[in-house]
Amino acid sequence: MNVTVRTLTGTEFPQAMAIRIQVFVDEQKVPFEEEQDHLDETAIHFGAFVDGRMVGTGRLVEQPGRGKIGRMAVLAEGRGQGVGRALLTAILAECRQRQLPQAYLSAQLHAIPFYERLGFSVTSGEYMDAGIPHKDMILELSEKA
Ligand code: COA
């Protein structure tokens, strides 16, 4: 399958939000108010496209010393075909281009093996966020740049 990942323009952002709402709010029952936060204003938003249709999204927030990756979502029918991997790989490439030494994310427990495939390691115990159990994960980028 041919997946293209790129950063989104402001006019494309509502399409990414629609994917997030479908995945996090409708499917995972995260309250709509918790899905939204102020980080969207400064984040770099990415879209994954298959045959010209956006099927996945994720965002990168640049913080001191690290890139915070979040809101990784692939539409249910597009999962298990490398879309998430392509998204995360593109976001990590952006981190490296910005010379960020570390990538950080808060992973839902079921997604930990997915992030481990791309080199992330768990760095925290389990905690609840939006009613869903999570663990922190990091990837040191400076070693692999
Ligand atoms: N458990 C174990 N391995 C998994 C996995 C899972 N839940 N999801 C993906 N993987 C593995 C795949 O088998 C694949 O491994 P391989 O390259 O060795 O074959 C690799 O991770 C890449 O998988 P890919 O097909 O690119 O992942 P995806 O397109 O299905 O996207 C998510 C992964 C997590 C983004 C997607 O399942 C999703 O959107 N889930 C709902 C929203 C969500 O929970 N987001 C994460 C919030 S922290």
Side-chain angles (χ1 to χ4, degrees), residues 121-142:
S121 303
V122 170
T123 57
S124 81
E126 190 177 319
Y127 58 91
M128 296 300 281
D129 186 19
I132 297 173
H134 284 73
K135 288 185 181 179
D136 290 338
M137 300 185 81
I138 63 162
L139 173 63
E140 298 296 344
L141 298 171
S142 43

Side-chain angles (χ1 to χ4, degrees), residues 1 19-20 23-24 27-28 55-57 69-76 78-88 105-118 132-135 137:
M1 197 175 50
I19 292 174
R20 282 166 44 176
V23 171
F24 295 116
E27 184 183 328
Q28 297 190 339
V55 296
T57 187
I69 296 169
R71 300 303 195 268
M72 289 281 302
V74 175
L75 290 174
R79 290 179 201 153
Q81 301 169 78
V83 175
R85 172 187 287 275
L87 256 174
L88 191 53
L105 55 83
S106 173
Q108 294 183 20
L109 298 193
H110 75 87
I112 287 175
F114 163 73
Y115 294 117
E116 283 176 337
R117 291 273 209 295
L118 273 289
I132 297 173
H134 284 73
K135 288 185 181 179
M137 300 185 81

